[in-house]
Amino acid sequence: MFEKVEHIGIAVKSLDLANITYTQLLGVAPYKMEAVESEGVNTSFFMVGTTKIELLEATKPDSAIATFIEKRGEGMHHIAYAVDDIEAAMQEATDKGFRLLNDVPKRGADNKLVCFVHPKDCNGVLVEFCQSIPPPARTLAGTEEEEE
Ligand code: CO
């Protein structure tokens, strides 16, 4: 069910400044920057071996990241576990008594379906389940078929 720790999310006040810091620390630039409008965040991703570091900056004062930073300051925000079947993972967690923060998987950054587990049920750590969304299938007949 759990394939690996997919990424670790870190809440930051300024994505621009944190990008500079983490580029210096890790010796690589972010491979992706992405806004997730629905969550009110800007994100950037650094690859570290096969795990990623996700930096998150709030774009709205009422976003979860803004609230987190207000309460606890910058810092580690969540640990994301890669799952092969997010709905099965959600069902299994629910069956075991864990409270989920969303009832249906939602679209996250970096081509993922995500669901969060209540931090109070995970010793104070916000847990994310994430499942990769395959790129859109090439269903249209046409030139793409000739690429092979
Ligand atoms: Co995440």
Side-chain angles (χ1 to χ4, degrees):
M1 168 96 47
F2 294 101
E3 295 172 332
K4 63 172 185 173
V5 173
E6 212 276 340
H7 64 268
I8 295 169
I10 298 172
V12 304
K13 285 183 183 164
S14 160
L15 197 60
D16 284 342
L17 292 177
N19 277 338
I20 293 169
T21 300
Y22 276 79
T23 298
Q24 283 178 333
L25 176 72
L26 301 172
V28 287
Y31 71 89
K32 174 186 270 194
M33 291 186 64
E34 188 179 342
V36 185
E37 203 89 18
S38 56
E39 299 293 312
V41 292
N42 287 326
T43 65
S44 64
F45 286 87
F46 294 78
M47 193 60 91
V48 183
T50 60
T51 303
K52 299 157 185 170
I53 299 295
E54 173 186 30
L55 303 181
L56 304 118
E57 166 198 70
T59 57
K60 299 188 284 203
D62 61 342
S63 79
I65 293 299
T67 309
F68 178 91
I69 288 179
E70 204 169 295
K71 276 194 204 154
R72 301 171 61 165
E74 291 185 297
M76 217 198 73
H77 180 258
H78 64 273
I79 294 184
Y81 298 92
V83 296
D84 50 10
D85 181 342
I86 192 163
E87 299 202 349
M90 290 167 69
Q91 187 62 55
E92 196 173 319
T94 303
D95 290 347
K96 291 174 180 168
F98 292 92
R99 289 167 292 172
L100 305 181
L101 298 189
N102 46 299
D103 294 335
V104 290
K106 51 185 182 177
R107 187 69 194 251
D110 203 28
N111 297 315
K112 297 281 189 290
L113 287 174
V114 303
C115 174
F116 290 94
V117 184
H118 202 297
K120 288 207 168 124
D121 293 345
C122 304
N123 298 80
V125 175
L126 177 63
V127 164
E128 175 185 331
F129 296 158
C130 63
Q131 178 195 324
S132 292
I133 305 168
R138 291 174 163 176
T139 49
L140 293 177
T143 53
E144 277 122 80
E145 287 176 346
E146 290 161 20
E147 281 179 9
E148 299 172 301

